[in-house]
Amino acid sequence: MAPDTNITEWMPALPASTSASPDATLSVPIEGMTCASCVRRVERAIAAVPGVAAAAVNLATERAEVRFDGTPALAAVLGAVS
């Protein structure tokens, strides 16, 4: 990921009030990653969000699979990588 890349461009526009149900899994498209370092950075940022149990980012498919152990706001997940 280039230092000047705007991460907010990677994420789809979702309503700020959208939230996931408890123990849900969300698949989020992520664009603009170019290396394993980008993947790890995004995984760490998402995993740090309260209510997120795990985050796995796939460079080839440009998707993040996010598993929740609570009911976090999706806006917080999106904000973690912006």
Side-chain angles (χ1 to χ4, degrees):
M1 175 172 55
D4 60 343
T5 302
N6 183 354
I7 297 176
T8 57
E9 293 174 2
W10 300 357
M11 305 304 288
L14 293 176
S17 62
T18 304
S19 62
S21 61
D23 302 320
T25 300
L26 173 69
S27 180
V28 180
I30 299 179
E31 298 175 346
M33 296 182 300
T34 59
C35 63
S37 179
C38 300
V39 168
R40 187 63 187 135
R41 183 183 301 173
V42 172
E43 283 177 339
R44 280 192 310 244
I46 294 172
V49 173
V52 171
V57 177
N58 186 308
L59 180 62
T61 62
E62 296 187 317
R63 298 200 73 78
E65 300 295 324
V66 183
R67 187 170 42 88
F68 302 110
D69 63 2
T71 309
L74 296 181
V77 171
L78 297 177
V81 292
S82 60

